[in-house]
Amino acid sequence: MGRSPCCEKEHTNKGAWTKEEDERLVAYIRAHGEGCWRSLPKAAGLLRCGKSCRLRWINYLRPDLKRGNFTADEDDLIIKLHSLLGNKWSLIAARLPGRTDNEIKNYWNTHIRRKLLGRGIDPVTHRPVNAAAATISFHPQPPPTTKEEQLILSKPPKCPDLNLDLCISPPSCQEEDDDYEAKPAMIVRAPELQRRRGGLCFGCSLGLQKECKCSGGGGGAGAGNNFLGLRAGMLDFRSLPMK
DNA sequence: AATGTCCGCAACCGCCACGCC
DNA sequence: TGGCGTGGCGGTTGCGGACAT
C-alpha cells in the first residue's frame, strides 16, 4: 500500500550539491541527454534522488539559464502574469526565457511581494490592500484546472466594482475600439476582438496555444511572437501604479 | 569581536497529472 | 479501464551569509 518512494532514501545524499556532483550530473546529461530521472543517479554514479537531480539540473545547471538580477521589465512581466495566472510559477517561467519557476517563486516571495505591499497592493489579489479586505469573497485563483486560460476567459468578474482594469488585446486594438475607455473594469477583450477580426484569442496571446482550443491554437511560430507582443503592451494594467 | 536576527536562495516534500501497460 | 510508475509543480523548510546590536 501507499506510494513507492522515488528513491532509496537511506542511500542518498541530501542537502547542498558539491562541485563534483554537479560535474557528474552535467557530464552525464551532456552525454545522454535528459530523461528517466529515476535511473539517472545510478547511471551517473550519483548518490542522489532522481527528483533531486532533475531539480538541480533545471534550477541551477541548465546551460540556458539566465543568472543574475531580474530586470525591471521582468519584474513587471512577472507581476502581470501573476495577476492573470496566480501561483502558476511554471507557466510564468515559461514566458520568461532563462528563468526557472523556482527562481521566480523565490523572487516573488522575497522581492515582489514586498514591493507590492509597499505600494499598498495586495500581492494575492493585485488590488489595493483596503479594497481587498473589503471584498473578502473574491477569489483571484479559481479551483485548479489544466486550462488556466479557459478559466480566465470563462469567469466573468464576480465583483462589478472590481477595478483591476485588465485589458488584453493586440496593441492596435486599443485605437480601433471606440468604447475602449467605457468598458467595465477587468474585461478580457481579446476573445471578442478575435471573433470580430480573426486575430489571436486571449490564450494564444499569452502563448498558450498548446492548451488553447481556439482556431489559432497549435500555430508553431506563434508562441514566441505572442510572448513578445505580450511584453510589448498587449497587457494594460492601467490601475497598477507600477512605476 | 561576539552574538542575535533577518533575509535570500537552494533544496526537499508531498501531491497531482499523465502516459503506459 | 484501472493500476502503476514517473515527471512535474507548488508550498515549505533550512542553511548560510549579511546586517544589526
Side-chain angles (χ1 to χ4, degrees):
Chain A
M1 293 297 286
R3 298 171 60 86
S4 60
C6 70
C7 53
E8 296 177 39
K9 292 186 186 299
E10 64 269 27
H11 295 124
T12 56
N13 292 339
K14 289 177 73 173
W17 280 63
T18 65
K19 195 166 182 290
E20 187 188 351
E21 285 177 314
D22 282 348
E23 287 168 357
R24 276 180 185 268
L25 181 57
V26 170
Y28 183 86
I29 291 177
R30 275 191 187 143
H32 302 94
E34 292 180 47
C36 198
W37 294 107
R38 190 183 174 88
S39 60
L40 185 148
K42 194 175 178 183
L46 288 164
L47 293 174
R48 288 278 179 175
C49 168
K51 291 176 82 166
S52 179
C53 293
R54 176 184 162 271
L55 232 55
R56 183 64 177 172
W57 172 255
I58 287 176
N59 289 330
Y60 200 81
L61 298 173
R62 240 171 49 196
D64 59 325
L65 288 180
K66 187 198 290 183
R67 314 294 301 178
N69 296 336
F70 282 75
T71 65
D73 278 354
E74 286 175 317
D75 263 28
D76 289 346
L77 186 59
I78 291 168
I79 292 166
K80 288 168 183 174
L81 286 168
H82 184 273
S83 72
L84 289 167
L85 302 169
N87 293 359
K88 301 290 179 187
W89 304 116
S90 61
L91 286 174
I92 294 171
R95 281 146 195 87
L96 282 155
R99 301 295 188 185
T100 70
D101 54 357
N102 202 39
E103 192 178 12
I104 292 170
K105 180 172 58 182
N106 283 333
Y107 187 66
W108 177 270
N109 287 327
T110 56
H111 292 92
I112 298 182
R113 265 176 60 88
R114 199 171 305 152
K115 183 172 159 184
L116 290 178
L117 286 170
R119 291 171 180 169
I121 297 170
D122 187 296
V124 177
T125 63
H126 292 262
R127 304 182 59 208
V129 173
N130 292 339
T135 55
I136 195 73
S137 62
F138 175 69
H139 297 289
Q141 289 182 251
T145 171
T146 57
K147 295 187 170 53
E148 292 79 10
E149 77 281 10
Q150 281 189 0
L151 280 172
I152 295 163
L153 291 175
S154 63
K155 298 269 182 184
K158 292 192 174 174
C159 302
D161 62 328
L162 184 63
N163 192 25
L164 259 181
D165 212 1
L166 168 62
C167 299
I168 299 167
S169 64
S172 61
C173 296
Q174 294 185 9
E175 291 76 29
E176 293 176 28
D177 204 1
D178 296 332
D179 57 349
Y180 178 72
E181 293 295 336
K183 294 275 186 184
M186 200 175 174
I187 293 178
V188 179
R189 298 158 63 242
E192 174 193 350
L193 292 171
Q194 183 206 7
R195 281 194 298 275
R196 283 156 50 180
R197 302 194 179 102
L200 294 169
C201 78
F202 173 53
C204 291
S205 74
L206 276 176
L208 293 165
Q209 287 93 337
K210 190 178 153 193
E211 297 91 344
C212 188
K213 288 183 176 173
C214 82
S215 57
N225 292 338
N226 292 337
F227 168 71
L228 291 174
L230 174 68
R231 300 194 69 171
M234 291 164 75
L235 286 163
D236 182 5
F237 287 69
R238 284 169 289 167
S239 68
L240 289 176
M242 300 322 301
K243 288 275 184 274

